[in-house]
Amino acid sequence: MFGKIFYFLLSVFLTIFILEFFLQYSESTSPSLSELDPVLGTTLKKNKAYTYFNEGFSMGYTNKFGYYGPGYSEERTNNSLRIALMGDSYVEGHQLFDRNHFRSILEREISKKTNKKVQVLNFGMSGFDLNDSYCYYMNFANKFKPNLVVYVLESSDFERYSNKDRRPTCYIDNDSLKISYDFRKSKSYNFAKQTSFIRGRSQVIRLIYNDFILIKKGAWKSIVFDKFYLWNGSHNNHYSNIQELKYDLVTKAIVKEIGKEQNAIFLLRDSIHQSIKNDIISNNIQYLNVNDTLNTEIKNGKNPHYWNVTGQLGHWNIDANSLIGEYLANKIIHNLNKAKENK
Amino acid sequence: MLFNSFVFLVFLLVFIPAYYLLPKKYRNIFLLLGSYVFYGYWDYRFVSLLFLSTIIDFTIGKFLYQALQPRKRKLLLFLSISANLGILAFFKYFGFFVQSFSPIAAMFGGNLDYLHLNIILPVGISFYTFQTMSYTIDIYRNSLKPTNNFIDFAVFVAFFPQLVAGPIERAKQLLPQIINKPDVTKIQIKQGLNLIATGLFKKVLIGDTSGRFVDHIFTNMEIYKSSEILFALILFSIQIYADFSGYSSIARGTAKIMGFELMKNFEQPYLSRNITEFWRRWHISLSSWLRDYLYIPLGGNRKGVKRTYVNLMLTMLLGGLWHGASWNFVIWGGLHGIYLAIHKFIIGRKRLEESYHYKGIPSLAKFLLFVLTTNILVLITWLFFRATDFNTTRLFFSKMIHWEPSEFTYRFLTITLTFSIAILIFDIFEYYTKKHTFLLLLKNKSVAWGVTSGLFFVTLLYMFQDKPLPFIYFQF
């Protein structure tokens, strides 16, 4: 009996072990791209290949410096224009190839139209709000000395809502803006750090972990019973009313700091409360809204969030990325020309 | 209900024990109700269509058996075929013909726009239509006695394991089993569970995962580079095989755990040495149906060489059209018809060896060369099968001619090789053991069940977080 159980368990284990290789080499499951850093919190692994299937499909690598797109080193040549893109999953772009992402289009368009050497660096990270993007810029992106920083934001990003258990966060101390690294003490950070070795390497463990999260959320009922159980997922409508936004003192200070220290553009994905807009403009930050360009698509009956292969709504689709890249490129070229005239 | 969904597994967990517990006389009515629930889960309205088809063939079958006059028999057969093909034509081909004839009508000043009805295609209509047609044709040929029990016949039409995508069973094979209500044996349960586990693995972890690459690349071909598109085509050849053979294994496995035996639908087609062998190994239930009910009635190879080629072409063209209402499927069938005709011309009346046996390195090299050539020929036809329209096909060839290098070539190569090896491992074992349940041949049964459980466990883990994708052949 013992022998039978032993052989059974051994063959189960060996089968799973072989399937681990299958999952990794067939790129059937999305890899873990993030790792934990005592300064940056959640950050990207370097030189890591990834394939993602969601509403879209993306395949790519993180570069040797730990951000998306071509790996431009920390040194910047004097005559080049370097743009850093900061923001959440819209910037990260796990739905499309880098060549179709607005990062590439922006780079291509400005190079083509100005004959300048342009380098656009993608520092997007899923779930980042303005606070996270600012900390990430201060701790990491600014090492690459960008001439221009583009923050892609939505109204809710002005309220610090994302989980800071694994990320640094800003606070005000004696009227000055500081970054706290208290996340290092959090249980979540330490647990994730201790288990990252196995979670980051095994696809089967990742599958188990992700299933566990779905079970914890209660989604298992709809998965198992399908039409017999209509699961109402927890949709976050918390930020639907921009009037209710808590534009707190810390975020206000972040905007002020960005206006003071950086040549920045805020590219907004949705409407924003007039008071915040005024604050952005008064801090010498250029305010742009993607709706200016995406509305023409919508008027033509195309939904910029619709993905034709999966039939899902989600992040900007390929056409929208192309439009945004061109729109942003035109705005930046306009700024460059204006600056030249002023000189 | 999709075989690769948890709700189907729940359905099985409830249905199968209840089926065993019921007295034999109630089993068929229970099986019929279960089959209608299974089918109606997509769209309950189409159960009525299934029921209509059942009534037509049951009634005609009875009258046909009683009729003695050849004219009356022919008329009844014509009635059955017209009714079945009429339903099929309306739901599947009406839009296609309207679309195809619109330009001709426009040339004469006509407008067929009012005929665009946006008809929804009932799942599996081609499969159950062909199955019921074979019933009346067999009665007409006096090779089958009709059943007098409507429930038994209705179960034959709606038998849920093979209702929506085959294998297309013959009444001679399935109906006696339904009438006799077989007791399930231990070995059937073991084989059934093994087939379900391996079938699910093939469908979910090979078919669906490779299919995601294919779907994205074929739908937006213009944004992908040449090598990516080429690998997507190879991945499609893996996807369609894993998807359909996986489905067939689950169908056979599900039937087995109720005591029923269904025919094999696949016999390692990608290990075929020529196109004729390929068609003996690919979608066997359809190719044998087309042979018995179309090619042979057309005259087969009995009416001279030229007529043989014409019959072959006609069979394959109609076989292509059976798959879907699109000219791409017609081309797919046509290409296979040309291949088969050329191969027939080359081999003449020589009989083909059933399977390969190792006779040294040169014979193995020859085998591999022939297998590779057959796969390349089949691969070309898959392009027409997967591309939804001529524009996609044209774009594919344009991208192949104007080659654009991709930074992801090596990764796509690795991905394609991984999927190929995975499916090949199954095929090689099945080829040599001639059994889809080859794992059960292992002396150490603990190892056999350990491997089966490992495959099943990882498949379930994956299924849990990924929305189940429908089987490709459901659309036919």
Side-chain angles (χ1 to χ4, degrees):
Chain A
M1 189 64 189
F2 176 77
K4 277 185 180 175
I5 294 170
F6 172 76
Y7 279 117
F8 175 78
L9 292 176
L10 182 72
S11 40
V12 169
F13 177 76
L14 284 175
T15 307
I16 293 173
F17 187 71
I18 293 166
L19 289 178
E20 176 68 47
F21 283 97
F22 168 75
L23 290 174
Q24 293 206 6
Y25 286 101
S26 65
E27 304 198 17
S28 300
T29 45
S30 311
S32 162
L33 279 188
S34 61
E35 62 182 2
L36 294 164
D37 180 274
V39 177
L40 300 173
T42 310
T43 184
L44 284 181
K45 285 176 184 166
K46 293 167 182 141
N47 289 322
K48 184 86 182 158
Y50 63 85
T51 300
Y52 281 98
F53 291 98
N54 31 53
E55 65 267 39
F57 159 46
S58 73
M59 192 181 243
Y61 303 90
T62 57
N63 59 44
K64 61 179 175 181
F65 303 105
Y67 59 89
Y68 297 105
Y72 301 122
S73 70
E74 289 180 13
E75 293 313 310
R76 173 170 61 85
T77 48
N78 284 338
N79 57 349
S80 68
L81 171 67
R82 188 171 274 192
I83 303 165
L85 298 177
M86 310 300 301
D88 59 7
S89 51
Y90 279 77
V91 179
E92 194 177 45
H94 278 172
Q95 302 75 34
L96 69 176
F97 282 46
D98 179 67
R99 57 177 175 247
N100 305 118
H101 188 276
F102 71 91
R103 186 208 71 78
S104 298
I105 291 147
L106 180 62
E107 195 172 83
R108 238 177 1 241
E109 285 293 309
I110 306 177
S111 300
K112 200 167 73 185
K113 290 176 182 165
T114 62
N115 284 326
K116 255 182 176 298
K117 189 180 173 192
V118 184
Q119 297 172 333
V120 183
L121 292 70
N122 181 349
F123 294 102
M125 287 280 269
S126 181
F128 266 23
D129 55 22
L130 179 59
N131 171 93
D132 300 319
S133 291
Y134 174 76
C135 294
Y136 205 62
Y137 178 83
M138 295 308 287
N139 288 327
F140 181 55
N142 72 350
K143 288 178 189 159
F144 296 87
K145 305 172 191 75
N147 313 81
L148 175 68
V149 189
V150 178
Y151 288 86
V152 179
L153 303 160
E154 65 174 5
S155 52
S156 61
D157 291 334
F158 289 88
E159 188 172 17
R160 292 178 302 147
Y161 69 92
S162 69
N163 188 353
K164 308 291 183 220
D165 277 0
R166 297 182 196 178
R167 294 171 194 163
T169 188
C170 295
Y171 68 100
I172 295 173
D173 184 28
N174 289 332
D175 286 343
S176 67
L177 189 68
K178 297 224 166 113
I179 297 174
S180 157
Y181 298 95
D182 281 353
F183 69 90
R184 293 169 196 158
K185 294 175 203 158
S186 80
K187 266 188 192 172
S188 161
Y189 172 81
N190 285 301
F191 176 75
K193 187 123 185 130
Q194 282 158 7
T195 57
S196 65
F197 178 80
I198 186 77
R199 277 194 300 120
R201 276 169 178 77
S202 167
Q203 294 301 317
V204 175
I205 301 281
R206 267 179 68 77
L207 281 176
I208 295 172
Y209 180 77
N210 292 340
D211 286 355
F212 173 72
I213 299 287
L214 283 171
I215 292 169
K216 226 174 134 185
K217 279 183 183 171
W220 68 272
K221 289 171 199 162
S222 71
I223 294 168
V224 174
F225 298 109
D226 195 37
K227 282 183 193 171
F228 296 115
Y229 182 88
L230 294 172
W231 177 60
N232 295 311
S234 57
H235 302 294
N236 195 348
N237 293 322
H238 184 60
Y239 302 100
S240 56
N241 187 349
I242 55 168
Q243 298 292 338
E244 288 174 6
L245 273 177
K246 290 174 195 145
Y247 182 46
D248 67 3
L249 287 174
V250 177
T251 317
K252 214 171 160 65
I254 292 171
V255 172
K256 196 174 169 188
E257 203 62 30
I258 289 172
K260 208 160 66 181
E261 300 290 331
Q262 303 167 20
N263 175 19
I265 293 176
F266 277 10
L267 181 69
L268 267 295
R269 298 205 304 266
D270 59 2
S271 306
I272 194 170
H273 195 266
Q274 192 58 41
S275 64
I276 306 176
K277 192 175 169 181
N278 292 343
D279 202 43
I280 293 167
I281 295 164
S282 67
N283 279 296
N284 292 321
I285 299 169
Q286 189 176 3
Y287 170 90
L288 298 174
N289 196 313
V290 287
N291 290 335
D292 295 347
T293 179
L294 295 184
N295 277 345
T296 45
E297 278 279 282
I298 295 162
K299 273 178 199 161
N300 290 332
K302 291 178 185 170
N303 187 336
H305 295 275
Y306 180 74
W307 292 81
N308 62 344
V309 180
T310 53
Q312 290 176 23
L313 291 173
H315 296 79
W316 292 322
N317 62 26
I318 293 165
D319 291 340
N321 263 272
S322 174
L323 283 171
I324 291 162
E326 284 170 25
Y327 167 76
L328 204 51
N330 289 336
K331 291 285 176 191
I332 293 169
I333 293 165
H334 176 77
N335 291 351
L336 290 172
N337 292 339
K338 220 167 144 187
K340 226 187 231 174
E341 279 168 24
N342 290 343
K343 270 183 188 174
Chain B
M1 227 173 268
L2 292 168
F3 281 170
N4 54 326
S5 64
F6 278 93
V7 75
F8 175 69
L9 297 179
V10 172
F11 171 77
L12 274 190
L13 284 175
V14 174
F15 184 84
I16 301 290
Y19 178 79
Y20 287 149
L21 289 171
L22 273 175
K24 272 195 173 183
K25 59 177 178 178
Y26 298 121
R27 280 190 183 174
N28 280 352
I29 184 82
F30 185 63
L31 189 51
L32 181 66
L33 289 173
S35 297
Y36 284 163
V37 168
F38 174 86
Y39 190 68
Y41 193 76
W42 277 288
D43 194 329
Y44 65 91
R45 292 170 299 176
F46 290 131
V47 175
S48 55
L49 195 66
L50 187 68
F51 194 67
L52 179 72
S53 191
T54 309
I55 290 174
I56 291 171
D57 285 299
F58 179 74
T59 316
I60 293 177
K62 269 184 105 172
F63 283 122
L64 194 57
Y65 187 68
Q66 287 158 2
L68 296 170
Q69 293 167 305
R71 230 183 116 191
K72 198 177 172 189
R73 287 172 65 80
K74 267 188 187 161
L75 187 75
L76 283 165
L77 179 70
F78 176 76
L79 207 66
S80 163
I81 292 175
S82 313
N84 281 305
L85 291 183
I87 293 171
L88 194 62
F90 177 74
F91 282 97
K92 193 163 178 173
Y93 301 105
F94 187 75
F96 169 66
F97 285 119
V98 169
Q99 201 181 4
S100 299
F101 285 111
S102 279
I104 300 166
M107 273 165 54
F108 296 100
N111 188 352
L112 300 181
D113 282 354
Y114 66 98
L115 288 174
H116 287 285
L117 301 177
N118 288 330
I119 301 159
I120 307 167
L121 182 69
V123 174
I125 189 169
S126 311
F127 287 92
Y128 70 73
T129 304
F130 269 38
Q131 185 157 310
T132 52
M133 267 167 62
S134 77
Y135 172 78
T136 41
I137 297 171
D138 282 352
I139 294 171
Y140 175 79
R141 288 174 176 175
N142 290 323
S143 60
L144 180 76
K145 204 179 150 195
T147 174
N148 286 320
N149 188 319
F150 180 74
I151 301 294
D152 289 349
F153 181 72
V155 172
F156 163 70
V157 180
F159 187 52
F160 78 87
Q162 48 86 243
L163 170 61
V164 287
I168 305 165
E169 285 292 335
R170 307 294 172 83
K172 269 183 270 185
Q173 211 261 335
L174 185 60
L175 205 50
Q177 296 186 62
I178 293 167
I179 294 165
N180 295 329
K181 303 170 194 81
D183 283 318
V184 67
T185 61
K186 252 186 183 177
I187 186 76
Q188 276 182 316
I189 293 176
K190 285 177 185 173
Q191 288 177 343
L193 293 175
N194 183 267
L195 281 171
I196 292 172
T198 51
L200 261 181
F201 173 77
K202 283 185 190 175
K203 159 66 185 159
V204 176
L205 277 178
I206 302 179
D208 288 356
T209 49
S210 58
R212 293 189 305 184
F213 290 95
V214 179
D215 289 347
H216 283 278
I217 295 175
F218 266 83
T219 311
N220 291 323
M221 201 178 265
E222 61 284 354
I223 63 165
Y224 292 98
K225 303 283 174 72
S226 306
S227 63
E228 295 160 6
I229 294 166
L230 186 60
F231 281 117
L233 181 62
I234 301 170
L235 284 172
F236 175 67
S237 72
I238 297 167
Q239 180 203 2
I240 192 162
Y241 175 45
D243 186 282
F244 199 12
S245 69
Y247 169 86
S248 300
S249 289
I250 303 168
R252 288 183 62 220
T254 311
K256 263 181 194 285
I257 55 175
M258 289 189 285
F260 294 90
E261 291 294 334
L262 298 181
M263 71 184 292
K264 279 184 184 176
N265 222 2
F266 290 90
E267 288 275 29
Q268 312 85 48
Y270 290 148
L271 295 178
S272 306
R273 289 153 296 172
N274 53 63
I275 204 73
T276 310
E277 190 183 356
F278 176 82
W279 275 103
R280 284 178 191 165
R281 293 173 177 275
W282 178 272
H283 201 177
I284 300 164
S285 65
L286 175 71
S287 51
S288 59
W289 196 101
L290 290 172
R291 182 197 62 208
D292 295 346
Y293 298 104
L294 187 62
Y295 178 69
I296 293 174
L298 281 171
N301 59 2
R302 302 181 312 274
K303 294 193 174 175
V305 180
K306 271 187 196 166
R307 185 64 192 270
T308 304
Y309 294 137
V310 171
N311 291 342
L312 255 181
M313 277 308 289
L314 261 175
T315 306
M316 293 315 289
L317 284 171
L318 288 170
L321 199 60
W322 175 89
H323 284 84
S326 151
W327 287 109
N328 268 39
F329 287 120
V330 178
I331 294 175
W332 175 79
L335 271 176
H336 273 286
I338 292 168
Y339 290 167
L340 284 168
I342 293 172
H343 188 242
K344 202 157 191 69
F345 177 76
I346 294 167
I347 60 161
R349 290 195 170 268
K350 203 173 123 189
R351 273 183 73 85
L352 293 169
E353 205 183 7
E354 247 185 49
S355 61
Y356 167 75
H357 299 285
Y358 181 74
K359 290 169 202 152
I361 301 288
S363 85
L364 180 67
K366 196 175 154 190
F367 168 75
L368 292 176
L369 182 73
F370 284 172
V371 167
L372 185 70
T373 313
T374 310
N375 277 292
I376 291 170
L377 290 172
V378 172
L379 188 69
I380 296 166
T381 67
W382 285 138
L383 168 66
F384 295 94
F385 197 96
R386 181 59 185 81
T388 43
D389 48 45
F390 284 134
N391 276 343
T392 315
T393 318
R394 205 174 51 209
L395 191 60
F396 179 90
F397 285 117
S398 159
K399 292 255 183 184
M400 291 304 111
I401 295 163
H402 308 287
W403 190 265
E404 296 167 305
S406 159
E407 66 272 38
F408 299 114
T409 302
Y410 177 73
R411 274 176 69 185
F412 269 99
L413 177 68
T414 313
I415 291 164
T416 309
L417 279 175
T418 310
F419 280 118
S420 307
I421 290 166
I423 203 80
L424 204 61
I425 288 172
F426 279 94
D427 270 11
I428 289 170
F429 282 117
E430 286 172 9
Y431 194 86
Y432 279 100
T433 58
K434 294 194 185 337
K435 280 199 178 300
H436 287 184
T437 51
F438 59 88
L439 275 169
L440 298 180
L441 297 175
L442 284 170
K443 272 188 184 163
N444 189 332
K445 299 296 174 215
S446 303
V447 173
W449 288 108
V451 175
T452 308
S453 307
L455 290 174
F456 191 58
F457 174 68
V458 178
T459 308
L460 289 188
L461 284 180
Y462 189 87
M463 267 168 66
F464 198 77
Q465 51 192 275
D466 224 55
K467 208 178 154 199
L469 292 179
F471 291 87
I472 296 175
Y473 266 71
F474 275 18
Q475 60 185 302
F476 309 139

